[in-house]
Amino acid sequence: MGTGNGDRAYRLLAEWERQGGSGMLVPSREALDNAIRWLRKDADAAWTMPRVGNRLPGPWPHGPAGPEAPAGVAWADGGVVETGSLILLAGPDSPRAVSLLPYRVLFLLPAQDISERLEAWWAVHSLVPPPSAVTMISGPSRSADIENDQAIGVHGPGEVFLLILTDR
Amino acid sequence: MSATPHEAMRDAVADTRLGNAVQYTTDRLAEGREKAWAGFDAPREREALRRMKTAAVRELPVLIERFRERAQARGTKVFLAATADDAVQYIRGVFGQHQAQRAVKSKSMATEEIHLREHLEQDGAQVVESDLGEYICQLAGEPPSHIIVPAIHKTRREIQTLFEQVAGHPLAEDTPTLAGFARRHLREKFLTADIGITGANAGIADTGTLMIVSNEGNVRMGTTLPPVHIAVMGIEKLVPDWAAAAQVLRLLPRSATGQAITTYVSWLTGPRGPGEADGPAEVHVVLLDNGRKTLIGTEAEELLCCIRCGACLNVCPVYRTVGGHAYGAVIPGPIGAALGPRLWPKQPGIGDLPWASTLCGACRDACPVGIHLDDQLLWLRRDLPKDKDTVEAVHMWRTVASRPRVWRAGISLARLALNRWPGWVRTRSPKLVRRWFSVRRWPLSDTQEER
């Protein structure tokens, strides 16, 4: 195996899964449909993006909004193989809360945006000037504060699914 | 709370349940750390981090100015607090401006240091700790006992009882139920908070950016939902650039919890940008000096390289035996015992802490920045004023130990006395002898086995 996009995608996914996330590489439409079915485990309007009271007026990129959206869909701007991390840049079309408030979040990541290390990703994707928030995400929210027993989904999402798009 | 560190430590040693809980958790963290460091060029990474941090500490005045300038250019309000009181007054001012009543807070040693929550609560604000462990401690009315795992000393049953009091109805004691309750309850607090308070793991001077790590996501919540974000950080957390912050990030979670990385890492620069739907509209960064600058250029300078990972706590035989509360200081463990007396010498009892060490050096080996913690503690013992008993004891030791015949006679006598009249030795003998043997057995090496 070389160090091409496909190999990186595979190794990133392995690291992501080791940290409690799930996911798949998506070379075909069928795989994408499978993932969407996973997302629709919540029957009601799983595609909604969260909106929080009147505090956050939007605009949200997709669908109707409710304060208790069960799932979110967020595009990742990058991936880091070494730590199994996604990189999300905040911006007008990419609110921070979408990947944070719902219990289940589907992340979409183009394979060509994956780097071996964080520093390598920075070298390709200029962060000068940096956006207001660069968020790295590595698996589900977790805590060991109750007798060292792993708790999942303490504040952030408890289930995270990563689709790496390998054909683009 | 016990009155002095001596009494607190004695009580903590007697508390076997506490000892077991602390040892179980610290073992788990220390094992995790070993695993995370396997396959990782630890000596090289450690040396690189030490070099970077040392250079950063030495140019702190420059980094402070650059951070202030660059952060302000991005709309962040920066306040350099010379003392804890200055920091508290500034933050009170921000609360006043916004007529803020409700705040959510993430775990932060700097806010513990200035007792921020207590001050704000006195003003009538509701300040909720959002880290699960800190939240448990807040409900119990106790300070955190470990800088990474604050509720290390609480059992599941105790947590269940505390949560039931808040919920007003019974809760099952399994982890998903208890964590789920905290998620629902604290989410409401996040959604209605006027202000989010956090610490920071690094401040990047080049761009005025904060780097903050979290596993639960409470830092993200507190910097996404409330309209105002206040970050409090010690000035020694400043680093020159993003690459330097990435160096901190590579070693911090590995040393703290044995993770290659925390679930979330937030790199925050200023308030939300134009057209953004969330993130705070106003950001304040309080850079806390509170004695730190006085250490630059002294032999204690390397203490400013500490990244607050807690690795030294997990391997320390004293911390593992007594837990965090017995230190009676904001930062427990070897780093607290070394840093506390330097930064806050006037705090009652803090001068006793350098003696709460066996000088075994495990802390230095565990430190990701290679701080010579055992040397630092030894130097403090040399420098700090000693009580009369200690001076007398050292004098007596010197007299006896430098005369072989007196030494041997003394040992025979002591052995005889301890065998024949152990009660007398422990309770009625001359004060110096009594104090020594009230906590030690003969021969001396046995004391290491004893808890």
Side-chain angles (χ1 to χ4, degrees):
Chain A
M1 286 267 248
T3 52
N5 291 342
D7 176 47
R8 281 206 200 112
Y10 179 78
R11 287 182 292 121
L12 169 60
L13 188 58
E15 196 59 29
W16 175 260
E17 286 175 341
R18 210 177 56 75
Q19 303 188 88
S22 28
M24 57 174 72
L25 307 188
V26 187
S28 69
R29 178 57 201 257
E30 190 195 350
L32 192 59
D33 286 346
N34 283 342
I36 290 168
R37 271 200 290 279
W38 173 86
L39 189 69
R40 288 189 180 279
K41 276 201 287 190
D42 287 311
D44 56 332
W47 279 102
T48 55
M49 296 290 177
R51 195 163 98 180
V52 183
N54 298 322
R55 177 71 56 71
L56 305 173
W60 299 92
H62 302 285
E68 300 286 338
V73 181
W75 279 92
D77 297 276
V80 179
V81 172
E82 184 188 32
T83 51
S85 310
L86 306 180
I87 301 174
L88 280 74
L89 309 181
D93 296 325
S94 47
R96 307 177 193 194
V98 174
S99 61
L100 177 63
L101 294 185
Y103 194 79
R104 295 196 285 137
V105 175
L106 173 69
F107 291 98
L108 306 168
L109 171 68
Q112 74 258 28
D113 294 333
I114 300 174
S115 298
E116 288 293 332
R117 287 179 53 153
L118 178 59
E119 291 87 340
W121 191 87
W122 287 343
V124 181
H125 304 77
S126 169
L127 289 181
V128 183
S132 64
V134 178
T135 305
M136 296 174 70
I137 301 175
S138 312
S141 155
R142 75 194 86 177
S143 170
D145 278 339
I146 300 172
E147 286 192 348
N148 298 292
D149 191 18
Q150 177 103 297
I152 293 295
V154 179
H155 291 294
E159 288 183 43
V160 288
F161 199 99
L162 171 62
L163 287 186
I164 303 179
L165 311 177
T166 54
D167 61 342
R168 244 201 17 187
Chain B
M1 290 292 268
S2 315
T4 68
H6 278 297
E7 289 167 19
M9 295 238 171
R10 190 196 54 212
D11 294 348
V13 169
D15 186 344
T16 53
R17 194 205 61 74
L18 175 70
N20 291 341
V22 172
Q23 281 177 32
Y24 177 80
T25 308
T26 50
D27 274 345
R28 197 183 60 87
L29 291 171
E31 277 164 24
R33 184 180 142 269
E34 299 266 313
K35 262 187 227 152
W37 285 65
F40 186 70
D41 191 351
R44 198 179 60 88
E45 295 277 352
R46 209 158 82 144
E47 185 49 38
L49 182 61
R50 182 179 175 84
R51 258 203 314 273
M52 184 280 286
K53 283 294 290 182
T54 303
V57 163
R58 288 186 183 153
E59 61 163 1
L60 255 184
V62 177
L63 292 181
I64 291 170
E65 275 322 301
R66 193 182 305 154
F67 181 88
R68 176 160 36 196
E69 180 194 312
R70 305 280 162 90
Q72 281 172 348
R74 284 294 296 264
T76 302
K77 295 178 164 61
V78 181
F79 179 72
L80 181 59
T83 65
D85 193 47
D86 290 350
V88 171
Q89 291 313 324
Y90 178 82
I91 295 165
R92 276 185 166 142
V94 176
F95 270 69
Q97 273 165 33
H98 293 274
Q99 297 177 328
Q101 290 300 311
R102 288 194 270 222
V104 278
K105 188 177 156 299
S106 302
K107 185 166 60 188
S108 141
M109 295 315 294
T111 57
E112 288 292 324
E113 177 181 332
I114 63 176
H115 303 288
L116 182 59
R117 195 182 83 214
E118 291 82 348
H119 285 293
L120 294 171
E121 283 172 349
Q122 276 165 21
D123 297 347
Q126 184 197 58
V127 182
V128 180
E129 297 285 354
S130 60
D131 174 271
L132 183 55
E134 292 271 357
Y135 178 60
I136 292 164
C137 291
Q138 183 179 22
L139 291 181
E142 293 167 8
S145 70
H146 188 287
I147 67 175
I148 303 296
V149 198
I152 194 170
H153 59 289
K154 304 304 278 183
T155 65
R156 177 184 303 281
R157 292 281 160 74
E158 289 172 307
I159 296 166
Q160 180 192 19
T161 307
L162 290 167
F163 283 10
E164 282 175 344
Q165 283 162 7
V166 178
H169 56 79
L171 291 167
E173 62 161 34
D174 60 293
T175 301
T177 300
L178 295 176
F181 168 76
R183 176 185 173 97
R184 284 189 304 280
H185 182 75
L186 290 172
R187 176 151 301 204
E188 182 57 32
K189 304 289 180 193
F190 279 117
L191 291 174
T192 55
D194 303 311
I195 293 183
I197 301 170
T198 70
N201 301 98
I204 303 172
D206 252 7
T207 52
T209 301
L210 302 172
M211 182 191 80
I212 319 178
V213 304
S214 142
N215 277 318
E216 300 178 1
N218 56 325
V219 168
R220 288 191 67 200
M221 299 287 280
T223 59
T224 295
L225 299 173
V228 179
H229 171 209
I230 302 174
V232 187
M233 60 184 271
I235 51 173
E236 82 282 11
K237 295 285 176 67
L238 289 174
V239 298
D241 49 32
W242 283 59
Q247 273 183 279
V248 175
L249 181 61
R250 284 171 73 74
L251 291 198
L252 176 60
R254 279 188 169 88
S255 307
T257 54
Q259 294 170 281
I261 195 166
T262 48
T263 299
Y264 303 111
V265 186
S266 302
W267 308 73
L268 305 170
T269 312
R272 73 167 77 164
E276 288 177 29
D278 49 22
E282 192 176 307
V283 177
H284 298 260
V285 175
V286 177
L287 295 174
L288 182 66
D289 182 345
N290 206 22
R292 288 165 172 80
K293 266 196 218 151
T294 62
L295 268 50
I296 302 174
T298 72
E299 64 186 0
E301 182 183 70
E302 62 170 346
L303 295 171
L304 295 177
C305 295
C306 171
I307 58 171
R308 301 287 190 276
C309 69
C312 61
L313 279 57
N314 301 333
V315 297
C316 175
V318 175
Y319 178 89
R320 287 163 53 82
T321 302
V322 300
H325 287 161
Y327 286 80
V330 169
I331 308 174
I335 182 64
L339 194 57
R342 298 280 185 197
L343 288 185
W344 318 297
K346 288 184 192 134
Q347 194 187 313
I350 204 152
D352 288 342
L353 295 185
W355 274 268
S357 166
T358 64
L359 300 179
C360 68
C363 45
R364 171 171 51 178
D365 294 342
C367 177
V369 206
I371 298 173
H372 302 79
L373 283 157
D374 45 350
D375 290 340
Q376 292 289 346
L377 291 169
L378 206 54
W379 295 338
L380 275 168
R381 292 184 186 189
R382 178 198 65 200
D383 294 346
L384 287 169
K386 293 157 195 70
D387 67 25
K388 206 168 115 278
D389 285 351
T390 310
V391 175
E392 273 178 32
V394 169
H395 181 72
M396 201 163 91
W397 170 264
R398 199 180 286 148
T399 309
V400 173
S402 60
R403 293 170 176 77
R405 287 167 68 185
V406 179
W407 170 253
R408 279 195 293 272
I411 286 184
S412 304
L413 193 66
R415 197 170 276 149
L416 182 77
L418 279 160
N419 284 337
R420 295 262 178 99
W421 310 289
W424 177 83
V425 170
R426 289 201 171 81
T427 58
R428 314 278 296 275
S429 62
K431 191 176 166 202
L432 284 178
V433 178
R434 196 167 71 220
R435 273 186 66 181
W436 178 268
F437 286 107
S438 68
V439 289
R440 290 171 182 86
R441 278 198 310 228
W442 190 275
L444 295 181
S445 60
D446 276 359
T447 56
Q448 272 132 35
E449 307 298 323
E450 212 180 350
R451 273 230 348 259

